[in-house]
Amino acid sequence: MKRENKERGYFIYLNFLIMFFLSIATLQAQGPVKNGVLDLSQEEFRNRIVKLNGEWEFYWEKHLRPADFSGTDIPVPDALSPVPSYWLTLKDEIPEIEKTGYASYRMKLFLPENTGELIFDIPVFDSAFRIYIDGKLAGGNGLAGKNEELSKPGYNPFIYRYTARESEIEIIINVSNYHHRRAGFWLPMRMGEADEMLQWVERRNVISDINAGIIISFISFFLLFYLLFRRDDSMLFFSLATFGILIRFISTGSFLILSLMDLSWISLVRLEYSGNFLALIFISWFFHRIYPDRYYKIFCTVITVLFTLSILLVLASPVIIFANAVRIFYPTVALVLLYYGIKSFLSLLKGQRTGILNIIGFVVVMAGAFNDIGLSRSKILFTDSFILPYATTIFIFIQVIILISRWVHSFNEEKRLSEELDHVNRNLEDMVIERTYELTNQKSEIEKQKDEIEHKNSMLEKSMQIKNRIFSIIAHDLKAPIANLSMLIELMKMEEGEKENTEIRGDLEKQVDFAANLIDNLLLWGQGQQDRIEHHPGKWNITDIVLDTFNIMNSQAERKGIELSFTHRGSTLAWFDRDLVSIILRNLISNAIKFTQEKGVITVLAEQIPDTGPDIKISVRDNGRGMDADNLEKLVKRSVIKSTTGTNGERGTGLGLQLCYDLVRVNRGEMHISSSKGEGTTVSFTLPLHE
């Protein structure tokens, strides 16, 4: 009970994490800017960094300058845009807005008196921009124009120093996008006093440099591990996945790669997307190596083909085309992480030592992935910076711990095996003597069992010879004279008509029918015991079989005044062996006649039962004397072969129903018996409709 509660708790916790991540993914960016104004005049501003998030004025298809707001005819904003966000989120307010085009953002900032030097941290905008602070051009990326020919994209975040001369500051940003699938103000701006901001920027850059160095170190570590132990290719996959994360890390956020080389905007974007796809391909295979699964392997193969083609598309097509690949990238990332998380929880439930570490890794990577996916869609979840590289670093540390744990376990196992080997070497002679004694005893026991098996085989062979001889006698020495008697009776019917012979002929017919039926049943039963019943199924009409059986059994029924009737519902075509089913019906109807009083009724019903196969069900129902519950249970369990006298003293062998069970089984059907004392018996069996 405690283990079940523990497992239930684990699954509840996993579902909570997934629902939490999915719910926060819908959050919009929030901030202190309201209606295009941020009033800090009455607040303590020192030693503080302020994010300029919130509601900025938005002007679609306008590149406004500070002079446009100096006169009396001040432009009216088309909407208040949440910042950071892409401008397509304003589709409801501005129906004509498109992902390609140009626009302006504007806000007013009120500062406390005697504010000194400030620094603005300016992020990148998609895909080109220029910014005006307090009426002056503060900088920009690329060329922000009003059409594709006049625009040139660019990425390069920077800081801007500003000495506050007035308490009111106006910030205007002109943004153009004709080259990317997304457009707008999708990363936050920050502002603070010079010393505080410089320290913050320095810390951010140092942390980025250190993290990049750690990632490079672990790429080398896992690659070296693979080169030394080539049998474990999971380390190669993890090294390549980490390399993809590194490429993405240095080409986004702080754009560390720009400190090493001067790259164009399209090269930066291509590096970002190629790194994403490369990381996804190899992290998928790494998870497969940790938790092998046949179907997930197929999924990994599909991912490899799909995103290899996507990398080729990145290298050969414009950004505005290949950037749409994220529409399949994000769901695939979610599926891969979900597989890793579920497998980690299952490994924890199975008591594997590394299960809890893998779960921690899953939570960390999931948080980083959701944060970065949200941020790439201009939605702040945990932080307004890309954190997947840092989450990856933590995940790498966890994998190192797992690897060291495996090494320690392998070392301890090797030590244990070495000690056992030393013990075996020291006690080898005693163990050989002991083992030899055991083998001698086992050999003696095996020889004894062999003699016993040979004796039993001899007895079984003699028994089979006797059994075969009995059936041979029945087949050759009894069946022929019985057949001759039957022919003589037929001749008597044709040549004589005296009434005094009628009763004799009737008794003779009963005896012959009984003997012939006995022989047929015995032969078939014997074949069934040896699994040698011949079975030649085909498509037959059960109606024909029933009517033929009625013709055969009619004289026997007429002697007791019993009425035979047949009813069918639906098609009566089925797949069976005609001869075997004829024997089944003959035995069942013969039994029904035997146990039904004079003037009784026997009904045969054939009906389709599509819910169980589909099959066809044949039921033989009489209104005879029936059976009590004890006898019915013994008959159903087939525990005894016992003959019961009929209502007119008819004899039987007790083999009929046993044989019917076997013949129904050969025809791929099932047989059931229901009966009530004094009310009659119903025997039903099923046959398949198709081969």
Side-chain angles (χ1 to χ4, degrees):
M1 183 63 69
K2 289 183 178 179
R3 180 176 178 83
E4 292 178 356
N5 291 335
K6 185 176 181 181
E7 293 177 358
R8 190 179 297 110
Y10 285 142
F11 279 109
I12 291 174
Y13 180 60
L14 175 60
N15 291 329
F16 168 75
L17 285 176
I18 294 173
M19 294 302 297
F20 173 71
F21 286 132
L22 291 177
S23 63
I24 62 175
T26 63
L27 296 176
Q28 291 287 347
Q30 301 293 327
V33 180
K34 304 296 181 183
N35 296 318
V37 176
L38 176 57
D39 188 357
L40 301 176
S41 60
Q42 305 300 319
E43 298 185 23
E44 177 60 41
F45 188 64
R46 295 185 180 278
N47 300 322
R48 179 182 173 191
I49 296 176
V50 179
K51 295 179 184 177
L52 304 183
N53 296 354
E55 299 174 339
W56 286 51
E57 295 177 1
F58 180 79
Y59 303 84
W60 174 241
E61 291 193 339
K62 298 181 182 69
H63 272 177
L64 302 175
R65 308 296 175 91
D68 295 322
F69 295 93
S70 59
T72 57
D73 189 14
I74 298 177
V76 177
D78 296 302
L80 291 174
S81 173
V83 168
S85 71
Y86 299 127
W87 63 44
L88 277 181
T89 58
L90 302 175
K91 192 71 174 178
D92 292 338
E93 291 87 348
I94 310 174
E96 67 273 15
I97 199 169
E98 300 290 341
K99 66 181 178 181
T100 56
Y102 62 98
S104 294
Y105 293 86
R106 176 177 178 265
M107 70 159 289
K108 286 185 177 181
L109 176 64
F110 293 94
L111 299 173
E113 295 291 338
N114 302 319
T115 300
E117 186 180 24
L118 300 175
I119 287 182
F120 289 85
D121 180 54
I122 313 296
V124 298
F125 294 75
D126 278 323
S127 57
F129 77 97
R130 57 178 169 265
I131 181 170
Y132 298 91
I133 298 178
D134 196 20
K136 295 182 179 179
L137 179 64
N141 283 172
L143 295 176
K146 295 184 179 180
N147 55 50
E148 186 174 357
E149 290 74 19
L150 297 176
S151 297
K152 179 181 179 182
Y155 278 169
N156 193 1
F158 59 93
I159 62 173
Y160 176 71
R161 290 178 177 268
Y162 169 75
T163 301
R165 293 182 294 273
E166 302 289 341
S167 60
E168 179 182 343
I169 299 176
E170 180 185 58
I171 301 176
I172 300 174
I173 305 173
N174 300 154
V175 181
S176 296
N177 178 59
Y178 294 95
H179 301 83
H180 207 290
R181 68 172 180 86
R182 62 192 183 191
F185 196 151
W186 59 283
L187 286 173
M189 281 181 59
R190 290 180 175 83
M191 176 200 71
E193 289 188 325
D195 293 340
E196 188 69 22
M197 280 297 298
L198 288 175
Q199 292 178 13
W200 180 85
V201 171
E202 184 66 22
R203 285 196 302 269
R204 181 186 63 186
N205 293 339
V206 169
I207 292 173
S208 297
D209 293 342
I210 292 174
N211 193 64
I214 292 174
I215 293 176
I216 293 172
S217 299
F218 280 114
I219 291 173
S220 304
F221 171 78
F222 284 105
L223 183 60
L224 178 62
F225 185 90
Y226 167 72
L227 295 175
L228 294 176
F229 304 97
R230 290 183 179 272
R231 290 178 297 179
D232 188 3
D233 58 0
S234 64
M235 295 300 101
L236 175 63
F237 292 145
F238 192 76
S239 178
L240 294 174
T242 308
F243 179 67
I245 292 292
L246 176 67
I247 292 176
R248 179 188 182 279
F249 177 59
I250 63 176
S251 58
T252 58
S254 300
F255 297 91
L256 294 178
I257 196 170
L258 294 179
S259 61
L260 302 176
M261 61 184 71
D262 186 17
L263 293 179
S264 64
W265 174 83
I266 191 170
S267 298
L268 289 171
V269 180
R270 283 175 173 166
L271 280 175
E272 175 190 355
Y273 279 75
S274 299
N276 283 338
F277 299 156
L278 188 69
L280 177 59
I281 291 171
F282 289 107
I283 202 66
S284 301
W285 285 109
F286 175 69
F287 290 159
H288 176 261
R289 288 298 186 267
I290 298 177
Y291 302 117
D293 181 85
R294 181 179 63 179
Y295 297 107
Y296 183 70
K297 183 178 182 180
I298 297 174
F299 180 62
C300 289
T301 303
V302 173
I303 289 177
T304 302
V305 173
L306 181 62
F307 286 99
T308 299
L309 295 176
S310 298
I311 292 175
L312 296 178
L313 181 68
V314 167
L315 299 176
S317 64
V319 175
I320 201 166
I321 294 177
F322 71 70
N324 289 291
V326 297
R327 302 182 188 277
I328 58 173
F329 173 75
Y330 292 146
T332 306
V333 169
L335 290 176
V336 170
L337 291 178
L338 185 62
Y339 173 82
Y340 172 67
I342 292 175
K343 287 292 187 177
S344 297
F345 270 84
L346 292 177
S347 68
L348 179 63
L349 297 180
K350 293 177 181 178
Q352 296 182 8
R353 296 176 300 172
T354 58
I356 187 64
L357 292 175
N358 283 322
I359 289 174
I360 294 173
F362 162 72
V363 173
V364 170
V365 173
M366 181 72 83
F370 269 84
N371 182 84
D372 284 19
I373 290 173
L375 195 60
S376 67
R377 300 174 63 188
S378 75
K379 297 176 182 179
I380 298 176
L381 306 182
F382 302 115
T383 178
D384 53 18
S385 301
F386 289 106
I387 62 171
L388 184 57
Y390 306 105
T392 303
T393 303
I394 297 174
F395 182 78
I396 292 171
F397 274 118
I398 291 173
Q399 295 305 314
V400 170
I401 294 172
I402 293 174
L403 181 60
I404 293 174
S405 175
R406 290 176 182 171
W407 280 349
V408 171
H409 177 70
S410 299
F411 175 78
N412 292 334
E413 186 67 15
E414 182 180 355
K415 183 179 179 181
R416 183 185 65 80
L417 293 174
S418 178
E419 291 174 352
E420 289 183 359
L421 182 60
D422 290 340
H423 175 74
V424 170
N425 290 333
R426 289 194 301 268
N427 300 276
L428 184 59
E429 185 176 353
D430 293 339
M431 294 176 65
V432 169
I433 295 173
E434 182 180 353
R435 186 60 177 162
T436 302
Y437 178 75
E438 291 178 357
L439 291 175
T440 302
N441 289 338
Q442 289 178 1
K443 181 180 179 182
S444 176
E445 184 67 24
I446 291 172
E447 290 177 352
K448 184 186 297 183
Q449 292 177 357
K450 179 182 177 183
D451 293 339
E452 185 176 349
I453 291 172
E454 289 177 352
H455 174 71
K456 289 183 178 180
N457 284 338
S458 177
M459 296 295 292
L460 181 60
E461 185 176 355
K462 291 179 181 179
S463 175
M464 291 298 297
Q465 290 175 354
I466 294 171
K467 181 179 178 181
N468 292 336
R469 180 60 179 164
I470 290 173
F471 285 115
S472 176
I473 291 170
I474 293 173
H476 298 90
D477 297 345
L478 288 180
K479 191 168 181 66
I482 293 297
N484 291 334
L485 284 173
S486 180
M487 292 175 59
L488 288 174
I489 292 170
E490 293 296 325
L491 289 174
M492 290 175 64
K493 288 182 179 179
M494 291 186 292
E495 296 178 1
E496 298 181 6
E498 292 84 353
K499 295 181 180 180
E500 58 270 15
N501 292 330
T502 301
E503 184 177 349
I504 297 174
R505 285 200 305 269
D507 291 339
L508 188 56
E509 284 178 351
K510 288 168 63 177
Q511 297 297 326
V512 171
D513 288 343
F514 170 76
N517 190 52
L518 167 63
I519 292 171
D520 288 339
N521 286 352
L522 279 171
L523 289 173
L524 274 172
W525 177 78
Q527 292 175 358
Q529 302 307 303
Q530 303 176 56
D531 292 327
R532 293 193 296 106
I533 295 178
E534 294 187 6
H535 181 230
H536 304 289
K539 197 73 171 183
W540 299 98
N541 193 327
I542 196 66
T543 300
D544 297 337
I545 312 298
V546 173
L547 296 179
D548 288 346
T549 306
F550 277 5
N551 289 333
I552 295 172
M553 309 302 298
N554 191 51
S555 60
Q556 184 179 348
E558 286 179 350
R559 284 197 293 269
K560 298 180 72 172
I562 294 174
E563 179 185 353
L564 300 178
S565 69
F566 171 67
T567 306
H568 69 85
R569 298 172 185 165
S571 174
T572 57
L573 292 175
W575 185 264
F576 57 88
D577 186 299
R578 179 186 177 93
D579 295 335
L580 298 184
V581 173
S582 296
I583 293 172
I584 295 170
L585 285 170
R586 195 159 63 242
N587 274 281
L588 295 181
I589 295 174
S590 177
N591 275 351
I593 295 172
K594 175 181 175 182
F595 296 108
T596 300
Q597 296 85 353
E598 294 185 358
K599 305 301 181 181
V601 177
I602 297 173
T603 303
V604 178
L605 171 64
E607 58 183 339
Q608 289 188 27
I609 46 173
D611 293 338
T612 61
D615 292 332
I616 187 170
K617 179 180 178 182
I618 301 95
S619 302
V620 179
R621 181 182 298 114
D622 64 67
N623 60 350
R625 65 190 186 190
M627 290 176 282
D628 57 24
D630 291 340
N631 288 330
L632 179 60
E633 183 179 2
K634 292 178 181 178
L635 189 60
V636 171
K637 291 184 176 179
R638 305 167 67 186
S639 58
V640 294
I641 300 177
K642 181 181 178 182
S643 175
T644 306
T645 303
T647 56
N648 283 357
E650 298 97 325
R651 292 185 299 152
T653 64
L655 285 175
L657 282 177
Q658 299 283 351
L659 180 62
C660 289
Y661 269 110
D662 293 334
L663 297 185
V664 169
R665 176 179 55 83
V666 170
N667 281 279
R668 297 189 292 128
E670 295 181 355
M671 181 170 163
H672 302 279
I673 303 176
S674 61
S675 183
S676 298
K677 188 71 172 178
E679 295 181 6
T681 302
T682 299
V683 182
S684 60
F685 64 95
T686 61
L687 295 172
L689 290 179
H690 307 291
E691 183 178 359

